[in-house]
Amino acid sequence: MTRTAAALAALIILCVAMPAARAQRTDTSAKPTADPRDTVYLRARKLVLEGNGAAGRAIVDSALTATTGTSDYATALFWRASLAATAADAERDYRRVIVEYPFSTHSGDALLALAQLEMARGDRDPAIDHLQRFLLQRPNDRERVRAGIWLGRLLLEQNQVAKGCAVLLRTRATLGDTAVETRNQVDYYATRCAGVDTIAPVTRVAAAPARPARADTVRPPRRDTLRRDSARSDSAKAPAPRHRDSVPSGGAHREATAPNAETAAKRYTVQLAAYDTRESADQLVSRLSARGIVARVVGKSTAPYRVRVGHYANDAEATAALRELKRKGLEGFVTTTDNETAPPAVRR
């Protein structure tokens, strides 16, 4: 009896071990189909799904610290948003991905996730904006159908019937013959589209034809006129002298002095964008200045060059400022000024 039990146990072990060994040989001989670094984030997600959120998020935080200053930082930031404990923390990191790393492989996923959060709390306008950006920036993404359904439904709810129907009809046209359930879902929302003209009218303005000048009516310029024009051109090229503390009209001025104690104590700010070149950041600051928004560029000689607005004493004040900027059509997120080692460049 003892020998029979032992033989049965050995047979069971053999049956379990053989498939595992075969799978291991297959895995080692085959080429990897995914980045092995993703296993770190998948393990973190597994811990969160199993109820051990603290341990899972600790793994992502370690990866975030290890990838600081590298191209992998955006991936770690996206995973921290995906496994965040609160919707506010998730939204903040998703915004950082789409603002600071718009060319990241996860920027489209961040746009879609951000739209989901906004739809969940009833913020339709920003959700529409993010879904439109997703469809524009991700022409071959597998989630385009789902994003199209969401966008069409939101536009219909906002009484933008023509736009909503156009999105739904375009989405339906991309479905294959086997996508029966998805087609039924699109048709359900498209019941309001019967008889709706989804083609926007195009208004063409005919330009008046230019009348050619007759050769006999064109007179050569006088010499004294040429001299006056040349003098005006030279004077326009010469920079006007100004005091070093003066601010040119409509231009930008950087404060050379260090920030005072009150500004230093306000360590919260709103970041609107980040660029690889200082020129691009300066251009955004100039456009914001024309709209009456005071912004600054953070960054000395290396990218990223961050465009930020304001100094606030706490997160609540910065969040309120961010809401006001959103009403003006600007995207951003709340962060701290801890990495502003040099005096900020203040734009007026």
Side-chain angles (χ1 to χ4, degrees):
M1 184 68 179
T2 305
R3 291 181 180 179
T4 304
L8 182 59
L11 180 61
I12 293 174
I13 293 173
L14 183 62
C15 292
V16 172
M18 284 182 64
R22 185 168 57 250
Q24 185 176 2
R25 287 196 301 270
T26 302
D27 292 341
T28 55
S29 61
K31 294 182 179 180
T33 57
D35 191 332
R37 289 169 294 186
D38 289 342
T39 58
V40 175
Y41 304 116
L42 295 177
R43 187 169 74 250
R45 183 177 65 178
K46 184 174 184 294
L47 289 171
V48 172
L49 293 177
E50 291 175 350
N52 195 356
R57 283 184 279 273
I59 292 176
V60 177
D61 289 339
S62 298
L64 198 68
T65 303
T67 57
T68 300
T70 70
S71 58
D72 297 326
Y73 186 81
T75 299
L77 193 63
F78 172 79
W79 276 98
R80 188 173 74 170
S82 301
L83 304 179
T86 65
D89 292 339
E91 181 174 350
R92 180 171 301 175
D93 283 341
Y94 283 138
R95 289 187 185 280
R96 287 193 61 189
V97 172
I98 65 177
V99 171
E100 290 197 44
Y101 307 97
F103 301 109
S104 165
T105 56
H106 295 288
S107 62
D109 299 326
L111 278 170
L112 203 60
L114 194 55
Q116 284 182 277
L117 291 173
E118 290 161 342
M119 286 190 296
R121 63 169 181 261
D123 291 342
R124 295 175 180 172
D125 289 336
I128 288 173
D129 177 65
H130 288 132
L131 290 172
Q132 287 174 334
R133 288 175 58 185
F134 175 85
L135 292 174
L136 180 64
Q137 298 174 9
R138 315 287 289 194
N140 300 318
D141 199 288
R142 62 183 180 181
E143 296 292 341
R144 283 182 60 84
V145 171
R146 184 162 59 139
I149 294 174
W150 290 348
L151 177 59
R153 184 190 55 154
L154 288 175
L155 289 170
L156 292 178
E157 291 175 355
Q158 295 292 82
N159 288 324
Q160 300 182 42
V161 180
K163 291 182 178 179
C165 290
V167 172
L168 290 173
L169 293 177
R170 284 198 301 267
T171 302
R172 193 182 192 282
T174 63
L175 298 177
D177 296 335
T178 60
V180 178
E181 294 183 4
T182 306
R183 184 180 291 103
N184 291 338
Q185 186 179 4
V186 174
D187 291 341
Y188 172 78
Y189 292 118
T191 52
R192 295 177 57 185
C193 299
V196 175
D197 184 7
T198 59
I199 301 177
V202 179
T203 304
R204 292 184 176 88
V205 179
R211 298 179 60 184
R214 291 176 54 186
D216 57 350
T217 60
V218 179
R219 297 180 180 179
R222 295 172 55 184
R223 292 184 179 179
D224 54 346
T225 304
L226 292 175
R227 284 196 294 269
R228 286 198 303 269
D229 292 342
S230 177
R232 290 173 184 170
S233 176
D234 293 339
S235 62
K237 294 178 181 178
R242 57 186 173 93
H243 193 269
R244 66 183 181 90
D245 293 331
S246 64
V247 180
S249 175
H253 171 63
R254 293 184 179 87
E255 291 183 350
T257 58
N260 54 34
E262 181 182 0
T263 301
K266 296 180 177 180
R267 59 186 296 264
Y268 289 87
T269 187
V270 175
Q271 182 163 314
L272 297 180
Y275 296 97
D276 291 333
T277 63
R278 180 61 185 256
E279 181 182 4
S280 299
D282 287 336
Q283 290 176 356
L284 176 58
V285 170
S286 299
R287 292 196 298 269
L288 293 172
S289 178
R291 298 178 58 180
I293 300 172
V294 180
R296 65 188 183 278
V297 177
V298 177
K300 287 185 176 181
S301 57
T302 58
Y305 298 95
R306 300 176 174 90
V307 178
R308 293 179 173 177
V309 174
H311 293 86
Y312 307 97
N314 50 56
D315 183 270
E317 290 183 5
T319 302
L322 177 59
R323 284 197 297 267
E324 182 62 28
L325 291 169
K326 286 182 182 179
R327 282 194 286 269
K328 297 180 180 180
L330 298 173
E331 193 68 61
F333 61 91
V334 176
T335 185
T336 63
T337 59
D338 295 344
N339 59 354
E340 297 185 25
T341 55
V346 178
R347 300 277 176 162
R348 293 176 178 171

